[in-house]
Amino acid sequence: MALSEHEQRLLDEMERGFYQSEADVLQAGSAEPRRLNYRSLVLGVIVVVAGIGVLVAGVAVQLLWLGLVGFAIMLGGVVLMLSRRSAGPLTVDDITSAGSGPKAAKASRESLSERMERRWDQRMEGER
């Protein structure tokens, strides 16, 4: 079913607004790729589990302050898990791009919006 002229204009306007807002979000983000830090992730999980233990102990002995300390420990563990400090000698990005040649290096530099735009263009060219 074909769109009316008014509907087509609205769709075009929404698409332009989407691309403008996407560009704003991408400019606000950091230019440096984020890497997964397994050390922080594992330590964070251990700290969260310890915090849960302290929280449960605080509930068991009915000490409010101990429960609050357990919650604070859990919160610290979550912050530690999400921290993005420099990873150790080997990262996930190093593994995925190692030995894959220049094509993988180009793909890793390509942002999500660029990949989506390239795929969209390929689809549109295929329909014509």
Side-chain angles (χ1 to χ4, degrees):
M1 184 159 134
L3 297 175
S4 70
E5 185 177 322
H6 176 68
E7 291 170 335
Q8 187 64 40
R9 275 188 277 130
L10 285 174
L11 184 62
D12 290 340
E13 183 180 325
M14 288 174 21
E15 187 177 3
R16 279 193 303 271
F18 172 73
Y19 283 129
Q20 288 173 352
S21 65
E22 183 184 37
D24 293 341
V25 169
L26 290 175
Q27 288 175 356
S30 66
E32 183 177 310
R34 300 184 75 153
R35 294 181 176 205
L36 184 61
N37 188 348
Y38 288 111
R39 182 179 301 156
S40 293
L41 185 66
V42 170
L43 286 175
V45 168
I46 291 170
V47 171
V48 166
V49 170
I52 291 172
V54 173
L55 180 71
V56 169
V59 170
V61 296
Q62 296 181 349
L63 292 175
L64 178 64
W65 65 269
L66 191 58
L68 292 175
V69 169
F71 180 77
I73 291 172
M74 287 174 22
L75 185 63
V78 170
V79 169
L80 182 62
M81 276 192 293
L82 299 177
S83 69
R84 299 290 185 183
R85 284 183 259 153
S86 64
L90 192 60
T91 62
V92 174
D93 291 336
D94 294 336
I95 293 170
T96 57
S97 65
S100 298
K103 187 175 183 179
K106 179 185 178 268
S108 66
R109 287 188 300 242
E110 190 176 38
S111 71
L112 175 64
S113 63
E114 291 169 341
R115 282 195 314 265
M116 296 301 286
E117 187 174 344
R118 180 176 43 82
R119 289 178 184 168
W120 177 262
D121 291 340
Q122 288 172 350
R123 283 189 204 123
M124 290 297 112
E125 289 173 3
E127 289 180 6
R128 293 178 188 177

